[in-house]
Amino acid sequence: MAVVLLCGCTVDQQCRTAFDVRMQAVFRADSLQADSTYATYAIWDSITVQGLGRDSVLYDNRKGITTLQLPLRPDTTVTAYRLTYHGRTDTLYIIHNNDIQYISLACGEVIYHTIEGFRARGTWIDSIAMMDSTVQATGKDNIRLIAHEP
Protein backbone atom coordinates (compact mmCIF):
# COMPACT_ATOMS: atom_id res chain seq x y z
CA MET A 1 0.00 0.00 0.00
CA ALA A 2 1.40 3.39 -1.02
CA VAL A 3 0.50 6.64 0.64
CA VAL A 4 0.74 9.70 -1.53
CA LEU A 5 0.78 13.05 0.13
CA LEU A 6 0.12 15.96 -2.14
CA CYS A 7 0.71 19.46 -0.93
CA GLY A 8 0.98 22.72 -2.71
CA CYS A 9 1.04 26.40 -2.17
CA THR A 10 -2.10 28.42 -2.64
CA VAL A 11 -2.22 32.15 -3.07
CA ASP A 12 -3.75 33.56 0.05
CA GLN A 13 -6.01 36.49 -0.89
CA GLN A 14 -5.47 37.98 2.54
CA CYS A 15 -1.70 38.10 1.89
CA ARG A 16 -2.18 39.86 -1.43
CA THR A 17 -4.53 42.42 0.09
CA ALA A 18 -2.24 43.12 3.05
CA PHE A 19 0.80 43.58 0.78
CA ASP A 20 -0.76 45.58 -2.07
CA VAL A 21 2.03 48.10 -2.67
CA ARG A 22 0.99 51.24 -4.51
CA MET A 23 2.29 54.78 -4.50
CA GLN A 24 -0.27 57.28 -3.29
CA ALA A 25 -0.44 60.68 -5.00
CA VAL A 26 -2.69 63.26 -3.38
CA PHE A 27 -4.03 66.33 -5.21
CA ARG A 28 -3.77 69.80 -3.74
CA ALA A 29 -5.09 73.05 -5.14
CA ASP A 30 -2.49 75.57 -6.20
CA SER A 31 -4.00 78.39 -4.16
CA LEU A 32 -3.41 78.70 -0.43
CA GLN A 33 -6.12 79.63 2.02
CA ALA A 34 -5.66 83.20 3.20
CA ASP A 35 -5.21 82.19 6.85
CA SER A 36 -3.07 79.09 6.25
CA THR A 37 0.28 78.08 4.81
CA TYR A 38 -1.15 74.73 3.78
CA ALA A 39 -2.63 74.04 0.39
CA THR A 40 -6.16 72.68 0.45
CA TYR A 41 -7.10 69.22 -0.76
CA ALA A 42 -8.58 69.36 -4.21
CA ILE A 43 -11.30 67.21 -5.71
CA TRP A 44 -10.73 66.62 -9.40
CA ASP A 45 -13.30 65.47 -11.92
CA SER A 46 -12.78 63.82 -15.28
CA ILE A 47 -9.36 62.27 -14.51
CA THR A 48 -7.99 59.53 -16.78
CA VAL A 49 -4.74 57.80 -15.83
CA GLN A 50 -2.89 55.31 -18.02
CA GLY A 51 0.47 53.67 -17.39
CA LEU A 52 2.92 54.32 -20.23
CA GLY A 53 4.36 51.13 -21.65
CA ARG A 54 1.19 49.33 -20.61
CA ASP A 55 -2.26 49.06 -22.10
CA SER A 56 -4.04 49.39 -18.78
CA VAL A 57 -6.14 52.40 -17.88
CA LEU A 58 -6.17 52.76 -14.09
CA TYR A 59 -8.71 55.59 -13.90
CA ASP A 60 -11.12 56.17 -16.79
CA ASN A 61 -12.76 59.61 -16.65
CA ARG A 62 -13.24 59.25 -12.88
CA LYS A 63 -15.11 61.86 -10.89
CA GLY A 64 -14.46 63.13 -7.36
CA ILE A 65 -10.80 62.07 -7.18
CA THR A 66 -8.58 63.40 -4.37
CA THR A 67 -5.98 60.61 -4.36
CA LEU A 68 -4.46 58.29 -6.97
CA GLN A 69 -3.25 54.78 -6.08
CA LEU A 70 -0.50 54.01 -8.61
CA PRO A 71 1.55 50.81 -8.80
CA LEU A 72 5.26 51.25 -9.57
CA ARG A 73 6.89 48.92 -12.06
CA PRO A 74 9.06 46.17 -10.54
CA ASP A 75 10.99 45.55 -13.79
CA THR A 76 12.47 49.04 -14.14
CA THR A 77 13.41 52.07 -12.06
CA VAL A 78 11.23 54.58 -13.91
CA THR A 79 7.45 54.39 -14.02
CA ALA A 80 5.50 56.81 -16.20
CA TYR A 81 1.81 57.70 -16.24
CA ARG A 82 -0.26 59.77 -18.63
CA LEU A 83 -2.75 61.89 -16.67
CA THR A 84 -5.55 63.52 -18.66
CA TYR A 85 -7.71 66.20 -17.06
CA HIS A 86 -10.39 68.01 -19.07
CA GLY A 87 -8.61 67.24 -22.34
CA ARG A 88 -5.17 68.37 -21.12
CA THR A 89 -2.49 65.70 -20.72
CA ASP A 90 0.54 65.65 -18.44
CA THR A 91 3.08 62.86 -18.13
CA LEU A 92 4.20 61.96 -14.61
CA TYR A 93 7.58 60.21 -14.24
CA ILE A 94 8.51 58.50 -10.97
CA ILE A 95 12.16 57.45 -10.48
CA HIS A 96 12.40 54.70 -7.87
CA ASN A 97 14.43 51.82 -6.48
CA ASN A 98 12.88 48.36 -6.07
CA ASP A 99 13.49 46.20 -3.02
CA ILE A 100 12.32 42.56 -2.98
CA GLN A 101 11.25 41.41 0.50
CA TYR A 102 10.43 37.80 1.35
CA ILE A 103 7.24 37.65 3.42
CA SER A 104 6.49 33.96 3.96
CA LEU A 105 6.01 30.70 2.12
CA ALA A 106 2.27 31.33 1.83
CA CYS A 107 2.59 34.98 0.80
CA GLY A 108 5.82 34.77 -1.18
CA GLU A 109 7.66 38.01 -1.77
CA VAL A 110 6.64 41.60 -2.24
CA ILE A 111 8.42 44.47 -3.92
CA TYR A 112 8.71 47.70 -1.95
CA HIS A 113 9.92 50.92 -3.54
CA THR A 114 11.85 54.03 -2.60
CA ILE A 115 11.06 57.16 -4.59
CA GLU A 116 14.28 58.85 -5.70
CA GLY A 117 12.78 61.61 -7.82
CA PHE A 118 9.91 62.69 -10.05
CA ARG A 119 8.93 65.15 -12.72
CA ALA A 120 5.86 66.12 -14.71
CA ARG A 121 5.63 67.38 -18.26
CA GLY A 122 2.55 69.09 -19.53
CA THR A 123 0.26 71.98 -18.72
CA TRP A 124 -1.83 71.41 -15.62
CA ILE A 125 0.48 69.96 -12.93
CA ASP A 126 2.38 72.93 -11.47
CA SER A 127 4.71 71.10 -9.09
CA ILE A 128 5.27 67.92 -7.11
CA ALA A 129 6.23 67.61 -3.45
CA MET A 130 7.66 64.57 -1.67
CA MET A 131 5.62 63.46 1.33
CA ASP A 132 7.10 60.00 2.06
CA SER A 133 9.66 58.36 -0.21
CA THR A 134 9.03 54.85 1.13
CA VAL A 135 6.31 52.98 -0.76
CA GLN A 136 5.45 49.93 1.32
CA ALA A 137 1.69 49.90 1.64
CA THR A 138 -1.29 51.90 0.52
CA GLY A 139 -2.87 54.42 2.83
CA LYS A 140 -0.08 56.97 3.21
CA ASP A 141 0.66 59.95 0.98
CA ASN A 142 3.87 59.54 -0.97
CA ILE A 143 3.72 62.56 -3.27
CA ARG A 144 1.58 65.68 -3.53
CA LEU A 145 0.55 66.95 -6.95
CA ILE A 146 0.03 70.70 -6.91
CA ALA A 147 -2.19 71.55 -9.84
CA HIS A 148 -4.54 74.19 -11.08
CA GLU A 149 -8.01 73.73 -12.41
CA PRO A 150 -8.95 74.84 -15.91
Side-chain angles (χ1 to χ4, degrees):
M1 179 168 118
V3 176
V4 177
L5 179 62
L6 296 175
C7 64
C9 297
T10 60
V11 175
D12 183 0
Q13 186 62 32
Q14 193 172 16
C15 287
R16 296 295 168 212
T17 302
F19 296 105
D20 183 21
V21 177
R22 292 174 185 249
M23 180 190 72
Q24 186 162 297
V26 62
F27 286 107
R28 293 287 187 135
D30 64 352
S31 60
L32 298 177
Q33 294 179 0
D35 61 345
S36 173
T37 58
Y38 296 100
T40 58
Y41 279 101
I43 298 173
W44 302 93
D45 285 327
S46 305
I47 296 283
T48 299
V49 179
Q50 179 178 9
L52 294 181
R54 301 178 184 179
D55 291 332
S56 61
V57 175
L58 301 172
Y59 296 85
D60 188 10
N61 199 27
R62 293 277 299 271
K63 311 290 188 227
I65 296 291
T66 59
T67 303
L68 299 174
Q69 299 285 333
L70 303 173
L72 298 177
R73 293 182 58 174
D75 60 334
T76 185
T77 58
V78 178
T79 302
Y81 291 98
R82 180 177 297 124
L83 287 79
T84 303
Y85 175 61
H86 289 277
R88 297 182 300 162
T89 300
D90 280 21
T91 303
L92 175 64
Y93 298 92
I94 307 297
I95 299 99
H96 55 88
N97 290 325
N98 304 317
D99 183 29
I100 300 172
Q101 296 287 320
Y102 175 75
I103 303 301
S104 68
L105 185 59
C107 292
E109 55 191 32
V110 66
I111 299 176
Y112 295 129
H113 311 279
T114 303
I115 300 171
E116 297 294 325
F118 39 74
R119 70 178 188 271
R121 289 194 176 160
T123 59
W124 65 276
I125 296 176
D126 291 325
S127 62
I128 306 169
M130 178 76 74
M131 303 302 295
D132 189 340
S133 64
T134 305
V135 182
Q136 291 187 344
T138 58
K140 62 180 180 174
D141 297 342
N142 296 109
I143 64 171
R144 178 185 299 158
L145 300 174
I146 310 295
H148 59 272
E149 297 188 53

